[in-house]
Amino acid sequence: MHTWQNWSGLETAHPTEVITPATPDEVAVAVRRAAAAGDRVKMVGTGHSFTSISAPESVMLRPDGLSGITAVDRAAMTVTALAGTPLYVLNSELARMGLSLHNMGDIAEQTLAGATSTGTHGTGGVKASLSAQLAGLRLVTGDGSTVVASRDENPDVFAAARIGLGALGVITHVTFEVEPLGVLEAHEQPMGWDEALARYDEFVSQNHHCDMYWFPHTDRMQVKTNNRLDVPIDEIDPVGRFRGWLDDDFLSNSVFGLVNRLGNRAPGLIPRINDLSGRLLSERRYSDIPHRVFTSPRRVVFKEMEYAVAREVGLDVLREARQLIERKGWRIGFPVEIRMTPADDITLGTSTGRDSIYLAFHVHEHAEHLDYFGGVEEILKAAGGRPHWGKVHTRQAADLAEVYPRFEEFLALRDRLDPGRVFANDYLRRVLGD
Ligand SMILES: Cc1cc2nc3c(=O)[nH]c(=O)nc-3n(C[C@H](O)[C@H](O)[C@H](O)COP(=O)(O)OP(=O)(O)OC[C@H]3O[C@@H](n4cnc5c(N)ncnc54)[C@H](O)[C@@H]3O)c2cc1C
């Protein structure tokens, strides 16, 4: 029996068959064969989604055989890669060529198609999600045929398939817009809750990227701003090896893991632990090539819910969530992350049509999450929030249709590209309907 499990361990599935296609043609053959047999097909990524969005029901396609860059267009400043390429591979290949993505999230383990299919995003910039940085893609649809999509070719498919949830087809190639490799300076500074919130608009407008973390049960925040520096690459001033290991590996992973296990055993200690963690953070500045500033290793396994709300209401929603946490007496050992993304034009993009603030709530893998996530989700839902497609949420097609003005357009495209629902699974039935 085959077993698939996601990174957080929250979701498990048992596909009947596992195939590792080595070419786009082999993907098409697998889809046609499954469609003819009445089976379902699911191309998985690295399972970094916290939801069951990539849970295979019968045939599972592994991404490993579809990896690597296939084209570089320096005139158009685009790079095309096979869909299963891990993001860290793309990042280092781009750097080798003197190129970079504009923006990305906190880690680089995901596959390119897996990350874009759920709207994986960073913060700030002119484009915040990987999906919004796509210039084109190629996908195998429900009857095994191939569709190429960009702003000029099949624009309706391009609008939707950049965040296609795996519902429209198996992506074989993605083309990203890229920019010249530059230097990004990070400035991390501890700050009080009141000051950080009062200065939020300033941080967003005066920096290229702004990321904030709030330590529950305390007034402590950590504010991280990143800015492009106009200096040559050989003038980077990265975090020293020891300080990098101490801050990003030992404190952020090893000590944080131990502290969380302690918090799980004695939740009453969590407020004091959070206060101490907040106190230990110090100000630091460093510069490096972009992907080394944006991403870092995450070895403490956790569960996460993240929602995008309209930027105007984001900080009020955060204040409401804080009040709820204190009122309910939950003990939350993980910081809440606050990011901002400019509006995009992707059909089911969490930022579609509006500048957004993303609020992300985490708990350790062994901590109970249902009450916390469920309680905060009510606030996020009442604020017109849109859940990250790859993170824990309980929303269903009927109420998601209310927060996505182009929901019906996506469903109509799904009917056209996958009328037999070859790509369906329980998650898609819940969020899109049958
Ligand atoms: C530690 C950690 C940190 C994270 N940080 C961030 C962050 O900073 N920002 C953020 O937004 N998210 C973040 N995420 C969420 C993560 O980026 C997304 O869940 C992403 O989708 C995971 O990519 P994956 O390759 O693991 O895909 P999977 O989770 O395996 O799959 C996701 C979806 O993509 C589909 N898919 C995969 N390959 C294909 C293909 N070839 N064609 C069509 N569909 C395909 C799957 O079927 C599924 O529907 C984080 C997750 C973790 C665990």
Side-chain angles (χ1 to χ4, degrees):
M1 186 174 64
H2 304 286
T3 299
W4 166 91
Q5 195 173 45
N6 68 347
W7 179 85
S8 68
L10 261 182
E11 303 290 344
T12 304
H14 299 290
T16 51
E17 191 181 351
V18 176
I19 301 174
T20 307
T23 63
D25 282 347
E26 287 183 22
V27 171
V29 169
V31 170
R32 267 188 228 115
R33 200 163 56 91
D39 283 339
R40 311 253 180 245
V41 184
K42 189 57 62 187
M43 173 67 94
V44 300
T46 52
H48 277 71
S49 295
F50 297 87
T51 57
S52 57
I53 187 167
S54 52
E57 289 189 344
S58 38
V59 181
M60 167 170 137
L61 304 184
R62 293 185 52 87
D64 317 52
L66 294 176
S67 185
I69 290 182
T70 59
V72 179
D73 184 338
R74 286 192 182 261
M77 285 300 274
T78 58
V79 167
T80 302
L82 287 162
T85 311
L87 179 56
Y88 64 84
V89 171
L90 180 73
N91 282 336
S92 58
E93 288 293 304
L94 289 179
R96 217 173 37 79
M97 295 187 284
L99 300 169
S100 172
L101 291 174
H102 172 69
N103 207 344
M104 65 196 70
D106 296 336
I107 59 160
E109 306 305 310
Q110 314 94 318
T111 59
L112 301 180
T116 55
S117 295
T118 62
T120 296
H121 63 92
T123 184
V126 291
K127 292 181 176 180
S129 72
L130 290 166
S131 322
Q133 293 167 70
L134 283 176
L137 53 85
R138 183 182 279 259
L139 83 164
V140 174
T141 63
D143 62 1
S145 60
T146 296
V147 175
V148 176
S150 68
R151 286 199 192 279
D152 302 324
E153 202 173 357
N154 297 307
D156 53 340
V157 177
F158 182 65
R162 282 178 286 164
I163 301 185
L165 319 182
L168 304 176
V170 178
I171 299 170
T172 57
H173 297 79
V174 284
T175 300
F176 282 102
E177 297 163 355
V178 292
E179 53 188 43
L181 186 69
V183 176
L184 209 53
E185 183 188 57
H187 182 200
E188 297 170 1
Q189 42 184 332
M191 200 170 285
W193 164 276
D194 287 340
E195 182 184 356
L197 263 53
R199 294 178 59 194
Y200 188 70
D201 286 342
E202 171 200 324
F203 289 134
V204 169
S205 63
Q206 294 185 6
N207 296 282
H208 294 145
H209 308 271
C210 172
D211 202 351
M212 301 205 309
Y213 296 86
W214 168 59
F215 292 79
H217 319 297
T218 77
D219 271 329
R220 298 183 189 283
M221 308 272 284
Q222 176 80 343
V223 179
K224 180 181 180 191
T225 48
N226 298 330
N227 287 291
R228 282 165 185 79
L229 289 187
D230 194 12
V231 297
I233 302 288
D234 54 13
E235 285 183 23
I236 55 169
D237 179 18
V239 185
R241 271 180 76 166
F242 176 72
R243 177 85 198 257
W245 168 81
L246 183 73
D247 288 355
D248 301 328
D249 198 356
F250 187 64
L251 292 178
S252 305
N253 284 299
S254 307
V255 174
F256 191 55
L258 280 176
V259 157
N260 266 280
R261 281 199 288 278
L262 178 67
N264 288 344
R265 255 184 265 134
L269 292 178
I270 287 178
R272 264 182 288 160
I273 294 174
N274 287 3
D275 190 56
L276 187 66
S277 309
R279 269 176 211 276
L280 286 176
L281 291 169
S282 56
E283 184 170 359
R284 65 174 186 171
R285 265 182 206 275
Y286 56 92
S287 60
D288 212 326
I289 58 173
H291 76 88
R292 290 200 221 122
V293 173
F294 286 129
T295 67
S296 55
R298 298 289 153 103
R299 288 192 281 101
V300 180
V301 180
F302 56 84
K303 300 177 269 193
E304 180 178 349
M305 173 178 75
E306 183 178 40
Y307 262 70
V309 294
R311 181 174 168 185
E312 307 77 70
V313 301
L315 296 187
D316 286 338
V317 173
L318 175 66
R319 288 184 187 98
E320 233 185 294
R322 177 177 179 170
Q323 284 164 7
L324 184 74
I325 291 169
E326 302 307 347
R327 208 167 54 240
K328 289 286 186 181
W330 298 316
R331 292 291 177 244
I332 311 302
F334 263 71
V336 173
E337 188 175 10
I338 302 127
R339 292 182 276 188
M340 188 270 163
T341 70
D344 64 40
D345 61 352
I346 303 172
T347 316
L348 292 189
T350 28
S351 302
T352 197
R354 69 186 190 197
D355 290 353
S356 303
I357 286 184
Y358 281 72
L359 301 171
F361 304 85
H362 314 70
V363 297
H364 186 257
E365 61 171 328
H366 300 311
E368 206 279 320
H369 68 283
L370 291 175
D371 284 354
Y372 175 36
F373 287 2
V376 174
E377 189 175 33
E378 286 304 314
I379 296 173
L380 295 158
K381 189 173 164 188
R386 296 168 177 158
H388 189 303
W389 295 107
K391 301 190 183 179
V392 177
H393 71 90
T394 65
R395 306 291 289 275
Q396 310 208 358
D399 65 308
L400 286 167
E402 290 168 16
V403 287
Y404 283 102
R406 294 159 69 195
F407 200 73
E408 288 301 325
E409 188 185 318
F410 189 95
L411 297 189
L413 188 69
R414 184 187 189 209
D415 286 343
R416 207 177 90 209
L417 299 183
D418 185 23
R421 301 294 187 256
V422 181
F423 306 116
N425 63 6
D426 273 346
Y427 180 87
L428 293 183
R429 281 186 281 275
R430 168 159 75 87
V431 300
L432 298 177
D434 287 326

